[in-house]
Amino acid sequence: MSGIDAATAFPALATLHPIDLEELLCRATLQTRVDRKYVLPLASAGVFLAGLARTARILEIDKQRCFGYESLYYDTPELTTYLLATQGRRRRFKVRRRVYLDSGVSYLEVKTCGIRGNTVKQRLPYGATVSDELTGEDRSFVAEVLRKAGIKDARYDAFCPTLRTSYRRSTLYLPDSNSRITVDTDVTWALRDDTRLNLTGVSIIETKAAGSAAVADRQLWALGHRPCRISKYCTGLASFRDDLPSNKWRVIMRRHPALRPHDG
């Protein structure tokens, strides 16, 4: 990663009152939630965040307010996860290993789509990760989560590392709606052969609320911004491969040249 992060790109974040991780998780764990994503030029994101300065609090750990994340996504050789998401299937899912780079803490996470279209995330804690490959215990965990979600035809034994993403993230807590916002910058995608793409000049802002639109969503709408279809996994993979169906991601890919498919 280039080191550009929200702490340097958005001065307004330095004015926010902090919240520690324990309090944030107590107030807004939101493992089951409605997510809305927005891709904003850095200047527009700065205007939006400045408007939250009076009420929002920002996650702060050891005096840091921006943190490195890395996610390794798993899929079948047929790209079942990618195709289900592209087709908009209700029983879609994602399997990833999430690493919090500053602390070294990591989890195996399975995200499924709930009955009302909300996101349900379940995770298995790890110690220090040794291999990118899934263990037998990992596969059993994934199989059980997907089985309970009514997803019975996934090839649990075939999941393999497919795409790695990394980015810098700041997390905001909004007391008025008991919701969260994440602000991601310096997003990078990498294939297994280490071919890379970097999404520059923009921030991915995601609102996370228990139900209806949060205060942050309404403020974004008032500024002329609307939620968009972007998935770090699916958009990233489609950006590398023009042989994949990508209708769902095409609008956002047209807007940002870095996301257009290329020959690697």
Side-chain angles (χ1 to χ4, degrees), residues 174-204:
L174 302 182
D176 292 346
S177 55
N178 207 35
S179 59
R180 283 190 281 138
I181 301 172
T182 56
V183 183
D184 296 345
T185 54
D186 199 24
V187 178
T188 299
W189 290 277
L191 296 175
R192 296 193 72 181
D193 64 1
D194 209 33
T195 303
R196 292 176 177 266
L197 278 176
N198 183 252
L199 182 57
T200 59
V202 300
S203 175
I204 299 176

PDB file of all heavy atoms in Angstrom, residues 174-204:
ATOM      1  N   LEU A 174     -21.769   6.646  14.891  1.00  0.00           N
ATOM      2  CA  LEU A 174     -22.749   7.727  14.929  1.00  0.00           C
ATOM      3  C   LEU A 174     -23.751   7.449  16.040  1.00  0.00           C
ATOM      4  O   LEU A 174     -24.636   6.599  15.897  1.00  0.00           O
ATOM      5  CB  LEU A 174     -23.470   7.836  13.584  1.00  0.00           C
ATOM      6  CG  LEU A 174     -22.575   8.067  12.354  1.00  0.00           C
ATOM      7  CD1 LEU A 174     -23.420   8.209  11.102  1.00  0.00           C
ATOM      8  CD2 LEU A 174     -21.700   9.296  12.552  1.00  0.00           C
ATOM      9  N   PRO A 175     -23.630   8.131  17.170  1.00  0.00           N
ATOM     10  CA  PRO A 175     -24.507   7.849  18.324  1.00  0.00           C
ATOM     11  C   PRO A 175     -25.987   8.056  18.024  1.00  0.00           C
ATOM     12  O   PRO A 175     -26.835   7.335  18.556  1.00  0.00           O
ATOM     13  CB  PRO A 175     -24.016   8.849  19.385  1.00  0.00           C
ATOM     14  CG  PRO A 175     -22.627   9.210  18.972  1.00  0.00           C
ATOM     15  CD  PRO A 175     -22.630   9.174  17.483  1.00  0.00           C
ATOM     16  N   ASP A 176     -26.325   9.024  17.181  1.00  0.00           N
ATOM     17  CA  ASP A 176     -27.734   9.338  16.926  1.00  0.00           C
ATOM     18  C   ASP A 176     -28.502   8.160  16.348  1.00  0.00           C
ATOM     19  O   ASP A 176     -29.689   7.976  16.622  1.00  0.00           O
ATOM     20  CB  ASP A 176     -27.853  10.541  15.982  1.00  0.00           C
ATOM     21  CG  ASP A 176     -27.372  11.826  16.637  1.00  0.00           C
ATOM     22  OD1 ASP A 176     -27.206  11.828  17.874  1.00  0.00           O
ATOM     23  OD2 ASP A 176     -27.159  12.812  15.919  1.00  0.00           O
ATOM     24  N   SER A 177     -27.836   7.355  15.521  1.00  0.00           N
ATOM     25  CA  SER A 177     -28.505   6.214  14.881  1.00  0.00           C
ATOM     26  C   SER A 177     -27.900   4.879  15.298  1.00  0.00           C
ATOM     27  O   SER A 177     -28.282   3.829  14.782  1.00  0.00           O
ATOM     28  CB  SER A 177     -28.435   6.357  13.355  1.00  0.00           C
ATOM     29  OG  SER A 177     -27.086   6.518  12.934  1.00  0.00           O
ATOM     30  N   ASN A 178     -26.938   4.918  16.221  1.00  0.00           N
ATOM     31  CA  ASN A 178     -26.260   3.705  16.678  1.00  0.00           C
ATOM     32  C   ASN A 178     -25.733   2.894  15.493  1.00  0.00           C
ATOM     33  O   ASN A 178     -25.878   1.677  15.421  1.00  0.00           O
ATOM     34  CB  ASN A 178     -27.213   2.845  17.521  1.00  0.00           C
ATOM     35  CG  ASN A 178     -26.450   1.987  18.521  1.00  0.00           C
ATOM     36  OD1 ASN A 178     -25.432   2.399  19.052  1.00  0.00           O
ATOM     37  ND2 ASN A 178     -26.945   0.789  18.770  1.00  0.00           N
ATOM     38  N   SER A 179     -25.128   3.590  14.557  1.00  0.00           N
ATOM     39  CA  SER A 179     -24.643   2.969  13.325  1.00  0.00           C
ATOM     40  C   SER A 179     -23.157   3.271  13.146  1.00  0.00           C
ATOM     41  O   SER A 179     -22.565   4.039  13.911  1.00  0.00           O
ATOM     42  CB  SER A 179     -25.438   3.485  12.121  1.00  0.00           C
ATOM     43  OG  SER A 179     -25.314   4.896  12.003  1.00  0.00           O
ATOM     44  N   ARG A 180     -22.584   2.659  12.134  1.00  0.00           N
ATOM     45  CA  ARG A 180     -21.166   2.840  11.859  1.00  0.00           C
ATOM     46  C   ARG A 180     -20.949   3.279  10.418  1.00  0.00           C
ATOM     47  O   ARG A 180     -21.768   3.018   9.542  1.00  0.00           O
ATOM     48  CB  ARG A 180     -20.396   1.534  12.090  1.00  0.00           C
ATOM     49  CG  ARG A 180     -20.139   1.199  13.531  1.00  0.00           C
ATOM     50  CD  ARG A 180     -19.173   0.048  13.645  1.00  0.00           C
ATOM     51  NE  ARG A 180     -19.786  -1.246  13.419  1.00  0.00           N
ATOM     52  CZ  ARG A 180     -19.250  -2.223  12.710  1.00  0.00           C
ATOM     53  NH1 ARG A 180     -18.092  -2.050  12.122  1.00  0.00           N
ATOM     54  NH2 ARG A 180     -19.864  -3.379  12.585  1.00  0.00           N
ATOM     55  N   ILE A 181     -19.813   3.887  10.186  1.00  0.00           N
ATOM     56  CA  ILE A 181     -19.346   4.213   8.838  1.00  0.00           C
ATOM     57  C   ILE A 181     -17.895   3.751   8.739  1.00  0.00           C
ATOM     58  O   ILE A 181     -17.107   3.968   9.665  1.00  0.00           O
ATOM     59  CB  ILE A 181     -19.388   5.723   8.563  1.00  0.00           C
ATOM     60  CG1 ILE A 181     -20.791   6.288   8.721  1.00  0.00           C
ATOM     61  CG2 ILE A 181     -18.866   6.036   7.156  1.00  0.00           C
ATOM     62  CD1 ILE A 181     -20.814   7.802   8.652  1.00  0.00           C
ATOM     63  N   THR A 182     -17.549   3.131   7.644  1.00  0.00           N
ATOM     64  CA  THR A 182     -16.143   2.854   7.392  1.00  0.00           C
ATOM     65  C   THR A 182     -15.695   3.679   6.184  1.00  0.00           C
ATOM     66  O   THR A 182     -16.458   3.885   5.238  1.00  0.00           O
ATOM     67  CB  THR A 182     -15.880   1.363   7.119  1.00  0.00           C
ATOM     68  OG1 THR A 182     -16.694   0.904   6.036  1.00  0.00           O
ATOM     69  CG2 THR A 182     -16.176   0.537   8.357  1.00  0.00           C
ATOM     70  N   VAL A 183     -14.478   4.156   6.249  1.00  0.00           N
ATOM     71  CA  VAL A 183     -13.896   4.992   5.203  1.00  0.00           C
ATOM     72  C   VAL A 183     -12.620   4.303   4.732  1.00  0.00           C
ATOM     73  O   VAL A 183     -11.628   4.240   5.472  1.00  0.00           O
ATOM     74  CB  VAL A 183     -13.587   6.403   5.736  1.00  0.00           C
ATOM     75  CG1 VAL A 183     -13.057   7.290   4.606  1.00  0.00           C
ATOM     76  CG2 VAL A 183     -14.832   7.027   6.374  1.00  0.00           C
ATOM     77  N   ASP A 184     -12.645   3.776   3.519  1.00  0.00           N
ATOM     78  CA  ASP A 184     -11.516   3.012   2.990  1.00  0.00           C
ATOM     79  C   ASP A 184     -10.784   3.801   1.914  1.00  0.00           C
ATOM     80  O   ASP A 184     -11.402   4.383   1.012  1.00  0.00           O
ATOM     81  CB  ASP A 184     -11.993   1.693   2.380  1.00  0.00           C
ATOM     82  CG  ASP A 184     -12.612   0.759   3.408  1.00  0.00           C
ATOM     83  OD1 ASP A 184     -12.428   1.001   4.609  1.00  0.00           O
ATOM     84  OD2 ASP A 184     -13.283  -0.207   3.000  1.00  0.00           O
ATOM     85  N   THR A 185      -9.475   3.823   2.012  1.00  0.00           N
ATOM     86  CA  THR A 185      -8.625   4.450   1.004  1.00  0.00           C
ATOM     87  C   THR A 185      -7.484   3.504   0.661  1.00  0.00           C
ATOM     88  O   THR A 185      -7.247   2.511   1.345  1.00  0.00           O
ATOM     89  CB  THR A 185      -8.044   5.782   1.523  1.00  0.00           C
ATOM     90  OG1 THR A 185      -7.382   5.556   2.783  1.00  0.00           O
ATOM     91  CG2 THR A 185      -9.144   6.814   1.734  1.00  0.00           C
ATOM     92  N   ASP A 186      -6.785   3.844  -0.423  1.00  0.00           N
ATOM     93  CA  ASP A 186      -5.599   3.074  -0.827  1.00  0.00           C
ATOM     94  C   ASP A 186      -5.944   1.595  -1.047  1.00  0.00           C
ATOM     95  O   ASP A 186      -5.226   0.701  -0.583  1.00  0.00           O
ATOM     96  CB  ASP A 186      -4.502   3.226   0.220  1.00  0.00           C
ATOM     97  CG  ASP A 186      -3.124   2.866  -0.339  1.00  0.00           C
ATOM     98  OD1 ASP A 186      -2.950   2.959  -1.565  1.00  0.00           O
ATOM     99  OD2 ASP A 186      -2.247   2.493   0.450  1.00  0.00           O
ATOM    100  N   VAL A 187      -7.029   1.351  -1.761  1.00  0.00           N
ATOM    101  CA  VAL A 187      -7.475  -0.021  -2.020  1.00  0.00           C
ATOM    102  C   VAL A 187      -6.603  -0.649  -3.096  1.00  0.00           C
ATOM    103  O   VAL A 187      -6.393  -0.071  -4.174  1.00  0.00           O
ATOM    104  CB  VAL A 187      -8.947  -0.048  -2.469  1.00  0.00           C
ATOM    105  CG1 VAL A 187      -9.395  -1.475  -2.785  1.00  0.00           C
ATOM    106  CG2 VAL A 187      -9.846   0.573  -1.394  1.00  0.00           C
ATOM    107  N   THR A 188      -6.093  -1.833  -2.811  1.00  0.00           N
ATOM    108  CA  THR A 188      -5.248  -2.574  -3.757  1.00  0.00           C
ATOM    109  C   THR A 188      -5.761  -3.999  -3.893  1.00  0.00           C
ATOM    110  O   THR A 188      -6.127  -4.629  -2.897  1.00  0.00           O
ATOM    111  CB  THR A 188      -3.781  -2.602  -3.286  1.00  0.00           C
ATOM    112  OG1 THR A 188      -3.293  -1.269  -3.205  1.00  0.00           O
ATOM    113  CG2 THR A 188      -2.908  -3.386  -4.258  1.00  0.00           C
ATOM    114  N   TRP A 189      -5.808  -4.487  -5.130  1.00  0.00           N
ATOM    115  CA  TRP A 189      -6.166  -5.883  -5.403  1.00  0.00           C
ATOM    116  C   TRP A 189      -4.932  -6.624  -5.912  1.00  0.00           C
ATOM    117  O   TRP A 189      -4.113  -6.055  -6.634  1.00  0.00           O
ATOM    118  CB  TRP A 189      -7.232  -5.975  -6.486  1.00  0.00           C
ATOM    119  CG  TRP A 189      -8.585  -5.496  -6.090  1.00  0.00           C
ATOM    120  CD1 TRP A 189      -9.548  -6.183  -5.409  1.00  0.00           C
ATOM    121  CD2 TRP A 189      -9.166  -4.213  -6.361  1.00  0.00           C
ATOM    122  NE1 TRP A 189     -10.686  -5.418  -5.242  1.00  0.00           N
ATOM    123  CE2 TRP A 189     -10.474  -4.208  -5.812  1.00  0.00           C
ATOM    124  CE3 TRP A 189      -8.712  -3.063  -7.017  1.00  0.00           C
ATOM    125  CZ2 TRP A 189     -11.319  -3.107  -5.904  1.00  0.00           C
ATOM    126  CZ3 TRP A 189      -9.549  -1.969  -7.102  1.00  0.00           C
ATOM    127  CH2 TRP A 189     -10.829  -1.993  -6.551  1.00  0.00           C
ATOM    128  N   ALA A 190      -4.816  -7.903  -5.565  1.00  0.00           N
ATOM    129  CA  ALA A 190      -3.700  -8.713  -6.045  1.00  0.00           C
ATOM    130  C   ALA A 190      -4.179 -10.129  -6.338  1.00  0.00           C
ATOM    131  O   ALA A 190      -4.876 -10.742  -5.518  1.00  0.00           O
ATOM    132  CB  ALA A 190      -2.567  -8.745  -5.017  1.00  0.00           C
ATOM    133  N   LEU A 191      -3.795 -10.633  -7.514  1.00  0.00           N
ATOM    134  CA  LEU A 191      -4.056 -12.029  -7.851  1.00  0.00           C
ATOM    135  C   LEU A 191      -2.989 -12.906  -7.210  1.00  0.00           C
ATOM    136  O   LEU A 191      -2.020 -12.421  -6.620  1.00  0.00           O
ATOM    137  CB  LEU A 191      -4.048 -12.204  -9.368  1.00  0.00           C
ATOM    138  CG  LEU A 191      -5.140 -11.463 -10.155  1.00  0.00           C
ATOM    139  CD1 LEU A 191      -4.911 -11.649 -11.665  1.00  0.00           C
ATOM    140  CD2 LEU A 191      -6.523 -11.965  -9.759  1.00  0.00           C
ATOM    141  N   ARG A 192      -3.146 -14.213  -7.372  1.00  0.00           N
ATOM    142  CA  ARG A 192      -2.194 -15.138  -6.752  1.00  0.00           C
ATOM    143  C   ARG A 192      -0.795 -15.005  -7.350  1.00  0.00           C
ATOM    144  O   ARG A 192       0.195 -15.327  -6.694  1.00  0.00           O
ATOM    145  CB  ARG A 192      -2.696 -16.580  -6.889  1.00  0.00           C
ATOM    146  CG  ARG A 192      -4.005 -16.831  -6.133  1.00  0.00           C
ATOM    147  CD  ARG A 192      -4.302 -18.305  -6.009  1.00  0.00           C
ATOM    148  NE  ARG A 192      -3.412 -18.952  -5.059  1.00  0.00           N
ATOM    149  CZ  ARG A 192      -3.439 -20.245  -4.771  1.00  0.00           C
ATOM    150  NH1 ARG A 192      -4.322 -21.031  -5.380  1.00  0.00           N
ATOM    151  NH2 ARG A 192      -2.605 -20.769  -3.891  1.00  0.00           N
ATOM    152  N   ASP A 193      -0.706 -14.518  -8.604  1.00  0.00           N
ATOM    153  CA  ASP A 193       0.619 -14.320  -9.205  1.00  0.00           C
ATOM    154  C   ASP A 193       1.187 -12.941  -8.880  1.00  0.00           C
ATOM    155  O   ASP A 193       2.193 -12.529  -9.438  1.00  0.00           O
ATOM    156  CB  ASP A 193       0.557 -14.522 -10.718  1.00  0.00           C
ATOM    157  CG  ASP A 193      -0.323 -13.474 -11.411  1.00  0.00           C
ATOM    158  OD1 ASP A 193      -0.858 -12.578 -10.719  1.00  0.00           O
ATOM    159  OD2 ASP A 193      -0.488 -13.555 -12.640  1.00  0.00           O
ATOM    160  N   ASP A 194       0.519 -12.206  -7.970  1.00  0.00           N
ATOM    161  CA  ASP A 194       0.928 -10.895  -7.477  1.00  0.00           C
ATOM    162  C   ASP A 194       0.720  -9.772  -8.489  1.00  0.00           C
ATOM    163  O   ASP A 194       1.227  -8.666  -8.302  1.00  0.00           O
ATOM    164  CB  ASP A 194       2.388 -10.897  -7.009  1.00  0.00           C
ATOM    165  CG  ASP A 194       2.630  -9.864  -5.908  1.00  0.00           C
ATOM    166  OD1 ASP A 194       1.709  -9.624  -5.102  1.00  0.00           O
ATOM    167  OD2 ASP A 194       3.723  -9.263  -5.889  1.00  0.00           O
ATOM    168  N   THR A 195      -0.046 -10.023  -9.554  1.00  0.00           N
ATOM    169  CA  THR A 195      -0.481  -8.934 -10.426  1.00  0.00           C
ATOM    170  C   THR A 195      -1.390  -8.022  -9.614  1.00  0.00           C
ATOM    171  O   THR A 195      -2.283  -8.492  -8.914  1.00  0.00           O
ATOM    172  CB  THR A 195      -1.254  -9.476 -11.638  1.00  0.00           C
ATOM    173  OG1 THR A 195      -0.433 -10.417 -12.343  1.00  0.00           O
ATOM    174  CG2 THR A 195      -1.652  -8.354 -12.584  1.00  0.00           C
ATOM    175  N   ARG A 196      -1.167  -6.687  -9.728  1.00  0.00           N
ATOM    176  CA  ARG A 196      -1.844  -5.764  -8.818  1.00  0.00           C
ATOM    177  C   ARG A 196      -2.565  -4.628  -9.551  1.00  0.00           C
ATOM    178  O   ARG A 196      -2.177  -4.235 -10.651  1.00  0.00           O
ATOM    179  CB  ARG A 196      -0.835  -5.144  -7.832  1.00  0.00           C
ATOM    180  CG  ARG A 196      -0.283  -6.154  -6.844  1.00  0.00           C
ATOM    181  CD  ARG A 196       0.785  -5.555  -5.948  1.00  0.00           C
ATOM    182  NE  ARG A 196       1.222  -6.544  -4.982  1.00  0.00           N
ATOM    183  CZ  ARG A 196       0.729  -6.675  -3.757  1.00  0.00           C
ATOM    184  NH1 ARG A 196      -0.206  -5.823  -3.339  1.00  0.00           N
ATOM    185  NH2 ARG A 196       1.151  -7.613  -2.947  1.00  0.00           N
ATOM    186  N   LEU A 197      -3.596  -4.131  -8.899  1.00  0.00           N
ATOM    187  CA  LEU A 197      -4.296  -2.919  -9.302  1.00  0.00           C
ATOM    188  C   LEU A 197      -4.505  -2.069  -8.061  1.00  0.00           C
ATOM    189  O   LEU A 197      -4.805  -2.592  -6.989  1.00  0.00           O
ATOM    190  CB  LEU A 197      -5.669  -3.247  -9.911  1.00  0.00           C
ATOM    191  CG  LEU A 197      -5.754  -3.664 -11.374  1.00  0.00           C
ATOM    192  CD1 LEU A 197      -7.196  -4.019 -11.711  1.00  0.00           C
ATOM    193  CD2 LEU A 197      -5.251  -2.557 -12.285  1.00  0.00           C
ATOM    194  N   ASN A 198      -4.401  -0.740  -8.216  1.00  0.00           N
ATOM    195  CA  ASN A 198      -4.628   0.169  -7.101  1.00  0.00           C
ATOM    196  C   ASN A 198      -5.707   1.170  -7.476  1.00  0.00           C
ATOM    197  O   ASN A 198      -5.645   1.767  -8.547  1.00  0.00           O
ATOM    198  CB  ASN A 198      -3.334   0.901  -6.735  1.00  0.00           C
ATOM    199  CG  ASN A 198      -3.509   1.800  -5.530  1.00  0.00           C
ATOM    200  OD1 ASN A 198      -3.524   3.009  -5.655  1.00  0.00           O
ATOM    201  ND2 ASN A 198      -3.637   1.203  -4.360  1.00  0.00           N
ATOM    202  N   LEU A 199      -6.713   1.333  -6.621  1.00  0.00           N
ATOM    203  CA  LEU A 199      -7.797   2.271  -6.853  1.00  0.00           C
ATOM    204  C   LEU A 199      -7.404   3.609  -6.231  1.00  0.00           C
ATOM    205  O   LEU A 199      -7.413   3.763  -5.013  1.00  0.00           O
ATOM    206  CB  LEU A 199      -9.093   1.746  -6.233  1.00  0.00           C
ATOM    207  CG  LEU A 199     -10.350   2.591  -6.434  1.00  0.00           C
ATOM    208  CD1 LEU A 199     -10.628   2.801  -7.915  1.00  0.00           C
ATOM    209  CD2 LEU A 199     -11.545   1.920  -5.761  1.00  0.00           C
ATOM    210  N   THR A 200      -7.039   4.566  -7.073  1.00  0.00           N
ATOM    211  CA  THR A 200      -6.498   5.832  -6.589  1.00  0.00           C
ATOM    212  C   THR A 200      -7.522   6.959  -6.741  1.00  0.00           C
ATOM    213  O   THR A 200      -8.413   6.912  -7.576  1.00  0.00           O
ATOM    214  CB  THR A 200      -5.227   6.205  -7.365  1.00  0.00           C
ATOM    215  OG1 THR A 200      -5.539   6.308  -8.766  1.00  0.00           O
ATOM    216  CG2 THR A 200      -4.144   5.154  -7.178  1.00  0.00           C
ATOM    217  N   GLY A 201      -7.381   7.975  -5.909  1.00  0.00           N
ATOM    218  CA  GLY A 201      -8.167   9.185  -6.044  1.00  0.00           C
ATOM    219  C   GLY A 201      -9.580   9.115  -5.503  1.00  0.00           C
ATOM    220  O   GLY A 201     -10.338  10.079  -5.613  1.00  0.00           O
ATOM    221  N   VAL A 202      -9.958   7.989  -4.918  1.00  0.00           N
ATOM    222  CA  VAL A 202     -11.315   7.836  -4.408  1.00  0.00           C
ATOM    223  C   VAL A 202     -11.285   7.169  -3.039  1.00  0.00           C
ATOM    224  O   VAL A 202     -10.298   6.557  -2.643  1.00  0.00           O
ATOM    225  CB  VAL A 202     -12.218   7.008  -5.356  1.00  0.00           C
ATOM    226  CG1 VAL A 202     -12.336   7.664  -6.721  1.00  0.00           C
ATOM    227  CG2 VAL A 202     -11.702   5.576  -5.478  1.00  0.00           C
ATOM    228  N   SER A 203     -12.408   7.279  -2.355  1.00  0.00           N
ATOM    229  CA  SER A 203     -12.616   6.585  -1.088  1.00  0.00           C
ATOM    230  C   SER A 203     -13.892   5.768  -1.197  1.00  0.00           C
ATOM    231  O   SER A 203     -14.875   6.227  -1.792  1.00  0.00           O
ATOM    232  CB  SER A 203     -12.724   7.591   0.055  1.00  0.00           C
ATOM    233  OG  SER A 203     -13.038   6.952   1.273  1.00  0.00           O
ATOM    234  N   ILE A 204     -13.879   4.570  -0.631  1.00  0.00           N
ATOM    235  CA  ILE A 204     -15.090   3.762  -0.541  1.00  0.00           C
ATOM    236  C   ILE A 204     -15.665   3.957   0.853  1.00  0.00           C
ATOM    237  O   ILE A 204     -15.034   3.610   1.854  1.00  0.00           O
ATOM    238  CB  ILE A 204     -14.802   2.269  -0.796  1.00  0.00           C
ATOM    239  CG1 ILE A 204     -14.229   2.069  -2.199  1.00  0.00           C
ATOM    240  CG2 ILE A 204     -16.078   1.444  -0.622  1.00  0.00           C
ATOM    241  CD1 ILE A 204     -13.833   0.642  -2.507  1.00  0.00           C
TER     242      ILE A 204
END
